[in-house]
Amino acid sequence: MVLYNASTNKMHVDEIVDAHVLVVGSGGAGVRAAIEASRYGGVVMVSKTIAGKGGCTTMAEGGYNAVLRDRDSVDVHREDTLSGGAYLNEPALVDALVHEAPERMADLVRWGAVFDVTDDREIAQRPFGGQRFPRTCYAGDRTGHEMIMTLLDRLDATDTHLYQEVSVIDLVKDENGTVAGAIALDRDGNVVFFRADATVLATGGGTQVYDISTNSAAGTGDGFAMAYRAGAELIDMEMIQFHPTGAVYPYDARGRLVTEAVRGEGGILLNARRERFMERYDPERMELSTRDVVARAIATEVLEGRGTSRGGVYLDVTHLPAETIESRLPVMLEQFLAYGVDIRREPMEVAPTAHHIMGGLRITPECRTTLPGLFACGEVAGGVHGANRLGGNALAETQVFGKRAGEFAGKNPARSGRISEGAIEEKIRVLDDFFEGSVNPADLRKDLKLTMWDQAGIFRNAADLRTALGHIKRLADKRLCAASTANLLECCTARNMCTTASLIVRCALIRPENRGAHVRRDATVTAEPGKSPFGHTYVSLTREGIEQREAMT
Amino acid sequence: MKTITIQVSRFDPAVDAEPHFEEYTVQVNEGARVLHALHAVRDNHDPGLAYRYCCGSGQCGSCAVRVDGTPVLACMEEARDGMTVEPLALPILKDLMVDLEPVIAKIARICPAPDAELPAKDEIETIKPLRDCIECFCCVSACPALQVTEFAGPTVLRQEMRLTLDPRDSGDRITDAITKGLFYCTTCRRCLEVCPKEIDIPGKAIEKLREIANRRGLTLPRHQEVARLVQETGRSVERTKETFLEQVPEVIEPDGPVRGEVGFFVGCMFNGRVPQTALDAMEVMKRNGIRVIVPHDQVCCGSPLIRTGQTAFVDDLKKKNIEAFARRGITTVMTICAGCGATLKNDYETPFVVKDVTEILTEYGIEPPTKLDITATYHDPCHLLRGQGISEEPRALLRDAVREFVEMPTQCCGAGGGVRSGVPEEAKALGAKRDEAVKATGADVVVTVCPFCEFHIADCTDVPVKNLVTVLLEGYRKKDAEREGSA
Ligand SMILES: Cc1cc2nc3c(=O)[nH]c(=O)nc-3n(C[C@H](O)[C@H](O)[C@H](O)COP(=O)(O)OP(=O)(O)OC[C@H]3O[C@@H](n4cnc5c(N)ncnc54)[C@H](O)[C@@H]3O)c2cc1C
Ligand code: SF4
Ligand code: SF4
Ligand code: FES
């Protein structure tokens, strides 16, 4: 491999790193994959952020679903997951999830995780929405943080090499079309080329494409975009979970997650007239209905003028003992206190916020994508949650599929195909273009995020979606400007956000029905979720469409 | 929207020799955080500004910076007009971005035993308070011990204790903790003050680790000597001259009418080493109508033992002291030693209230002294400022007692936590930093209210160091002299 000449003032590859398995992303899924893959050969983990400090796993508060008690069963967990997902889930993936979540939980405990336990020395579990058994394991309200700290301890005992604050900007394929690694930029904008026999994509979600989002700053959907550019197929990208309860104030903190555990612990929702409005939407499950139902209920209250002046509703825990709030919801208490609200005494104000992308790369239960050499796990993969994710299932997903991706990537044979210099050169030329552009990527992001929120949000229709798609295309064509090499990444990220947004909107246009989190006000097809004639939407460089299927019973 | 002007520290190792401040005027929303002000600088002024962030909600620990000198999470701290934003006191990579990898590498990883099982509930509950750490490194940036020693840092010791408490861990954490500087901590509690998760590292980790080290015979020899002294004499200071208790009666009546009554807990330093200051305090009390009861059967409060982990017979001391005051029906006990005060308030469960002398004087209100013709600065004793949350009372008293009062940035002098006896070179280095700070104020006198600080700073600077009560007494003497002169 030629290292390009620095004196020409063009971008060039500064460093080449070889590995058996390349893991992209240091969230719960990526670290779990690296731990597993390291049993089979040399592993390199590349992460946009310092490991443990980036992505959404660190932020996850509520918990991890696993069947641990005799009174519960994996069949019930399976059925809850499918019915919550409006039967759009890939059943084989759900089977893996519910069967292996308990074993992966046991791994975490063995590795030192500090989960809450009961007086009888069992892992404590709490109720979460849409589930018939309280099966959500937790570590206070910092469950994800506990997991990632434990996983990093375990990772440290392997020979995995970490490249932190190094961001992958594109996947690279060899002459056989096998994914052969990735190109990345380090903090200063130097180009690093990682070559590997197998690549695991674990870049997490991307709801940062919406104006109001719970995701970390790394949740820009890079993985969806890079995989799409490389030719992988994605499914169900229209399935965006709007979490019912995001903060509404202060403005800059809008969207910040108010964990479902608040409702799990007994929090109630009230509109501005102090009516417990969930009675009208789901009198049986009330506040603990599935997220799509609660989010639409809140959005409807606000749209119909029964919201607060800031466009939210009240979430109230003042009837709970102060000690319960302090011990079970310390992070919530602390965050609201920082903004001058004492949730022990006054209600929170909340409104829906873009939370999770259920869709993603099409994977097999072995986490193989449609591209040879490329594996995916965690939020970047699709199919596990169908049309709506149950709270607590995503953390379980990171462990179950992280382990699987690591194992099967590890077992992947050595790659033999040649990597053409042209392929690399082409990707680097895109970077050079950013020095010629004129549009500030920050401005483009703002525009994109508002477009997505306004036209591809909770309630959708074809006209809005088409407008959005047109606008996104225009934004994607703008020539972005990098102020320095260190800013190249900003440009790449903005470009990825445009791609991810367009995938969401294209799939949203393709699905003509209301299903789970996807609501088309102009829907032409109405069927019970289980009887829907439709399967996954799919989209790739070469095709897009929606699967037809026999109605399930 | 509102407009604010902020100073941001900039540093590009490729071109700058040193960091410098740049001023930016930016528009931010109501309630915006420091992080949003930085976004505004990046989006509208300089896309090259380097800083970290990710979760935006105080959970990932990426975004810590120093705002007006104090480490905070940029995503949680409200942006203020006129604030300065600097990187943490760690090696700078660029602008506000510091090199975290070396400190992260010092944090121990769990080594689970092969047969590790789920801990029991009470074990989990003791670990949890130490587990909240988000590795933001605010504490590492603020810790004074780190500035002058190889101390690995507060959160590094927090982790050693977290692992010690975990039955699954198989590592030898005490030896590890000692190598990482267990005895360097002055127990100044600055780390707790800046920790966004309010983790009590000195109390819940460092003192506890020292306790286990003690049970294994690993306490520093100098600290063991102190423990022996307390056990044999009831005092942590050797008798070299007539003590305070030997010089005063059990009850000290005020000059005029009795406005109040307090019990007095004298403490070893004031009793044995600097009794004159305690006598000065008695004069001030007399003058202000406060009756002082001094039980002669009181002993060391145990602070030098608790801070160094030698707690075997601390309960005996506590019992003796509580009884000495309770038996005499005393409801308010006054301390003039910050260390004793913090210990009685935080480590004891007393049937009486404990108050620092500055609280007592402020509550009763004092006869104004004549102002001394000096410029004075004030050194905050850690065990008063953070141990007891007292900062305003001594300043107000001092302002009324001297011609000019000047502030000095707060920092531990290095005397506490057994550091002065156990690691004298560290105490000296921290003392030297105090000397610099004192000189920078241009003050004629440094005033404080802790005998340990007073004694130690006096060793490290040539500027006179005085206790606040001595300054008050001098003011009264001046007043009396002036009255006599004019009579
Ligand atoms: C606030 C919040 C709370 C949540 N609470 C829960 C909960 O209680 N229970 C539950 O089950 N689920 C919860 N979820 C969802 C769950 O946390 C996520 O779905 C899950 O953690 C995703 O894990 P991951 O490993 O796939 O990705 P992430 O944890 O998001 O990690 C992605 C990683 O990829 C890296 N990365 C991204 N792009 C690049 C790139 N271009 N190059 C290199 N690296 C890159 C990032 O730096 C990061 O390290 C929550 C989500 C949020 C946002
Ligand atoms: S108490 Fe003070 S010296 Fe000890 S670790 Fe904390 S900041 Fe450092
Ligand atoms: S102990 Fe507190 S201040 Fe120190 S790193 Fe942890 S969270 Fe930050
Ligand atoms: S950005 Fe995560 S703690 Fe501030």
Side-chain angles (χ1 to χ4, degrees), chain B residues 36-66:
Chain B
H36 307 122
L38 295 176
H39 288 337
V41 171
R42 180 200 58 193
D43 292 351
N44 304 314
H45 294 270
D46 185 351
L49 179 68
Y51 58 104
R52 282 198 187 93
Y53 62 98
C54 201
C55 70
S57 50
Q59 292 168 286
C60 73
S62 311
C63 65
V65 290
R66 281 181 297 165

Side-chain angles (χ1 to χ4, degrees), chain A residues 304-315:
Chain A
E304 293 179 359
R306 293 186 294 276
T308 66
S309 57
R310 288 178 178 140
V313 298
Y314 295 114
L315 174 58

Side-chain angles (χ1 to χ4, degrees), chain B residues 136-156:
Chain B
C136 65
F137 302 110
C138 284
C139 59
V140 169
S141 179
C143 172
L146 259 151
Q147 297 170 9
V148 296
T149 67
E150 294 295 298
F151 184 40
T155 191
V156 176

Side-chain angles (χ1 to χ4, degrees), chain B residues 291-302:
Chain B
R291 175 190 287 139
V292 183
I293 303 171
V294 194
H296 279 47
D297 46 350
Q298 56 180 290
V299 292
C300 172
C301 69

Side-chain angles (χ1 to χ4, degrees), chain A residues 20 22 31 40 134-135 147 261 276 339 379 398 441 491 532 550:
Chain A
H20 172 50
L22 169 68
V31 181
Y40 302 91
R135 69 169 71 88
M147 286 172 58
R276 202 167 162 194
Y339 299 122
E379 196 170 334
T398 63
C491 298
S532 165
E550 301 280 297

Side-chain angles (χ1 to χ4, degrees), chain B residues 6 39 41 51 59 77 79-80 88 104 122-123 138 146 169 230 249 268 332 355 369 378 386 425 447 449 459 467:
Chain B
I6 64 175
H39 288 337
V41 171
Y51 58 104
Q59 292 168 286
E77 184 78 6
R80 299 187 284 271
L88 293 183
I104 293 178
D122 54 335
E123 290 167 329
C138 284
L146 259 151
D169 184 51
V230 178
C268 300
T332 303
K355 285 182 180 162
Y378 175 68
R386 290 179 285 270
E425 60 289 358
V447 176
V449 246
D459 253 5
N467 191 290

Side-chain angles (χ1 to χ4, degrees), chain B residues 133-139 155 195-197 199 201:
Chain B
C133 172
I134 53 171
E135 297 184 4
C136 65
F137 302 110
C138 284
C139 59
T155 191
C195 175
K197 301 289 164 185
I199 304 175
I201 296 178

Side-chain angles (χ1 to χ4, degrees), chain A residues 65-84:
Chain A
N65 294 341
V67 173
L68 302 175
R69 304 281 197 275
D70 291 342
R71 281 163 297 134
D72 195 6
S73 82
V74 288
D75 290 334
V76 178
H77 188 189
R78 181 177 190 275
E79 180 52 30
D80 285 347
T81 302
L82 288 170
S83 103

